[in-house]
Amino acid sequence: MATCFWWRSCGAPHVRLVLHDRGLCRVAGSWAPGRAPLRTYVPGRGGLPTTLLRTNSFVGGRWIPAAAAFPVLDPASGAELGRVADCGAPEARAAVCAAYEAFCNWRGVSAKERSSLLRKWYDLMIRNKDDLAKIITAESWNFPSAMITRKVGAALAAGCTVVVKPAEDTPFSALALAELANQAGIPPGVYNVIPCSQKKAKDVGEALCTDPLVSKISFTGSTATGKILLHHAANSVKRVSMELGGHAPFIVFDSANVDQAVAGAMASKFRNSGQTCVCSNRFLVQKGIHDSFVKKFAEAIKTNLHVGDGFEERTTQGPLINEKAVEKVEKHVSDALSKGATVVTGGKRHQLGKNFFEPTLLSNVTQDMLCSHEETFGPLAPVIKFDSEEEAVAIANATDVGLAGYFYSQDPAQIWRVAEQLEVGMVGVNEGLISSVECPFGGVKQSGLGREGSKYGIDEYLELKYVCFGGL
């Protein structure tokens, strides 16, 4: 995942910092911009779009190299896609200065002109969507572009300037957006990108979070990392937005339409091979339809899911982002089987090897298993049988996170009861895909703070000021 920071100075709009860690410089000097093509192309893919491929940091409107570089790998093949500037704390502080200096001019730009520039940037993204898709497919299956644009769009519209620190796994997407921002005429220093390796991420994150010029931090990633950033931000009382981990329940009541529930489960669980923060992580199925649901769910998995490289037309399930992600899925499956769970389908690494794992369905799952109380972030669907509505709600809420939740029911009274009782920020009722630009995205408990998207998203980048004008 990536980390984005936004700054602001003391006024209404701010300079913001955007951070991502899910599994994304130097200002001084006279560097000539350069499009360094990737050093390694993956056979059979015809190469990646060199017009959008950048390997240097983007600060103050210039492409700036760093003293060192780190490799970016294709999760499907393990091949090196290229090497990207490995920025450290000094480069991060320089990027903050560039954003802060640009802020005074940017906030003076009219809302109409900011809107026009954002529209030009959007139009360029749409015009280059195929090339952007190739870059995303080559380095990830998560959301390296969406995580940035839904933060940066609101921040820039509000008059903030930003520094983006993308996840080390997916820096090319963030840098491609910087290239398009430059083409769109976004002023220098308004949008900055400082990639860094995992080794330097801690120092870069701390430098950004503790810099006195930074007024706001927006982060998408794990709850553990979010807590560290909150600690850094607390010393200077910075505003924060946190979109952290989830552990989404997917409840199927006896009154549900089973076929619809299976379709929703497929969409919610196996989107991006289970690598989204709103993916269903626990399937709670009432005893009356449990066997029917499991049978149809297994059939749908075997029939509709095809594991392979994302550049192959038939593929619906790509690789996990790295070896660590695969190991976590294996650990959850192994733990469940050792405690009595049953593999209905899948259950092991895919024959393609590398970072591929079979879409897996487990039955006879109990609450003492790791997959019942830890986010898997992979293609694992564990099914827990329950008796009553009260039991299902209690199991669903027995966690310290609460991002998304789903349930299927045809009982109107039950729908309103359960929707109100689920301790999550977003609820899908008879629907497995809930994200859209019109809806506020965010969670409760330790799933985060604030909201992104919708008309409420821009409020995260504004200050409310009261003015009393007397003596009239």
Side-chain angles (χ1 to χ4, degrees):
M1 295 174 226
T3 309
C4 297
F5 295 85
W6 278 290
W7 290 248
R8 131 200 118 164
S9 101
C10 43
H14 331 297
V15 187
R16 308 289 181 165
L17 183 57
V18 185
L19 300 159
H20 300 275
D21 89 327
R22 274 195 188 276
L24 299 84
C25 58
R26 204 160 50 214
V27 172
S30 176
W31 300 100
R35 280 194 185 90
L38 294 182
R39 301 181 181 183
T40 305
Y41 291 109
V42 181
R45 299 188 181 193
L48 294 176
T50 57
T51 55
L52 294 182
L53 284 177
R54 291 289 196 162
T55 57
N56 294 329
S57 63
F58 185 68
V59 177
R62 293 177 295 171
W63 296 100
I64 304 176
F70 67 96
V72 179
L73 305 180
D74 176 358
S77 66
E80 182 178 304
L81 294 171
R83 301 183 71 82
V84 174
D86 194 2
C87 298
E91 289 83 6
R93 287 189 285 269
V96 171
C97 289
Y100 185 79
E101 291 170 1
F103 170 61
C104 294
N105 290 328
W106 181 245
R107 69 175 177 176
V109 173
S110 69
K112 182 177 181 180
E113 186 175 350
R114 290 200 299 269
S115 174
S116 177
L117 287 170
L118 286 170
R119 182 69 197 196
K120 289 179 182 177
W121 194 13
Y122 164 79
D123 288 340
L124 284 170
M125 293 179 200
I126 297 302
R127 192 180 308 163
N128 291 273
K129 62 182 180 180
D130 289 341
D131 285 346
L132 291 172
K134 290 177 182 178
I135 293 173
I136 291 172
T137 301
E139 64 180 1
S140 164
W141 271 86
N142 205 337
F143 296 86
S145 294
M147 294 296 95
I148 293 173
T149 52
R150 72 181 180 190
K151 298 172 186 290
V152 172
L156 266 59
C160 304
T161 56
V162 306
V163 173
V164 176
K165 184 268 174 211
E168 66 273 6
D169 293 309
T170 58
F172 285 125
S173 293
L175 294 169
L177 293 179
E179 169 63 29
L180 294 179
N182 202 31
Q183 292 180 20
I186 303 294
V190 171
Y191 177 76
N192 308 274
V193 181
I194 48 166
C196 75
S197 63
Q198 185 178 31
K199 182 179 180 180
K200 293 185 178 180
K202 180 180 178 181
D203 291 340
V204 169
E206 183 174 353
L208 293 172
C209 288
T210 57
D211 195 302
L213 298 181
V214 175
S215 296
K216 167 67 185 287
I217 298 169
S218 179
F219 171 74
T220 295
S222 70
T223 298
T225 302
K227 290 179 179 179
I228 294 173
L229 299 180
L230 282 168
H231 174 77
H232 290 321
N235 287 333
S236 51
V237 196
K238 300 185 192 305
R239 286 188 63 182
V240 295
S241 296
M242 295 277 160
E243 195 271 279
L244 307 177
H247 190 38
F250 188 105
I251 307 171
V252 186
F253 291 105
D254 281 344
S255 66
N257 179 310
V258 176
D259 291 333
Q260 289 181 1
V262 168
M266 291 288 289
S268 177
K269 172 71 261 183
F270 295 108
R271 181 186 186 197
N272 278 7
S273 299
Q275 299 175 104
T276 82
C277 51
V278 294
C279 273
S280 296
N281 213 66
R282 304 165 288 158
F283 290 82
L284 315 179
V285 185
Q286 200 159 12
K287 62 180 181 180
I289 59 169
H290 173 273
D291 293 350
S292 174
F293 175 85
V294 170
K295 180 181 178 181
K296 291 186 175 183
F297 197 9
E299 291 172 350
I301 291 171
K302 295 173 183 177
T303 302
N304 299 313
L305 300 184
H306 305 286
V307 178
D309 190 304
F311 284 90
E312 297 173 0
E313 187 67 29
R314 188 170 180 264
T315 296
T316 63
Q317 301 288 287
L320 299 187
I321 188 64
N322 52 38
E323 174 73 14
K324 185 177 179 181
V326 178
E327 290 174 353
K328 185 173 186 180
V329 180
E330 282 187 319
K331 179 181 178 182
H332 280 195
V333 171
S334 176
D335 173 80
L337 296 182
S338 71
K339 296 175 180 176
T342 302
V343 174
V344 181
T345 185
K348 61 184 184 299
R349 295 194 186 214
H350 194 272
Q351 61 184 7
L352 289 174
K354 302 293 182 183
N355 297 325
F356 292 94
F357 200 91
E358 294 178 344
T360 300
L361 177 61
L362 301 180
S363 64
N364 299 318
V365 174
T366 55
Q367 295 182 64
D368 63 328
M369 299 174 183
L370 286 177
C371 59
S372 296
H373 55 85
E374 287 184 4
E375 182 181 30
T376 303
F377 220 71
L380 170 61
V383 179
I384 301 173
K385 184 188 295 186
F386 70 89
D387 292 323
S388 67
E389 176 185 313
E390 293 74 19
E391 180 188 5
V393 172
I395 294 173
N397 290 339
T399 176
D400 58 7
V401 293
L403 187 57
Y406 310 83
F407 69 91
Y408 278 69
S409 170
Q410 297 297 315
D411 181 340
Q414 183 178 61
I415 286 173
W416 290 111
R417 284 195 307 272
V418 176
E420 183 175 357
Q421 292 172 12
L422 286 180
E423 297 172 355
V424 295
M426 300 173 285
V427 180
V429 181
N430 297 326
E431 177 57 61
L433 295 176
I434 58 175
S435 300
S436 71
V437 296
E438 298 84 5
C439 302
F441 189 100
V444 299
K445 298 182 177 179
Q446 294 186 32
S447 280
L449 302 166
R451 292 295 183 270
E452 294 180 345
S454 80
K455 67 177 183 179
Y456 302 105
I458 198 171
D459 291 342
E460 301 293 326
Y461 306 99
L462 296 171
E463 293 282 13
L464 184 63
K465 179 183 288 185
Y466 164 60
V467 178
C468 180
F469 197 162
L472 298 178

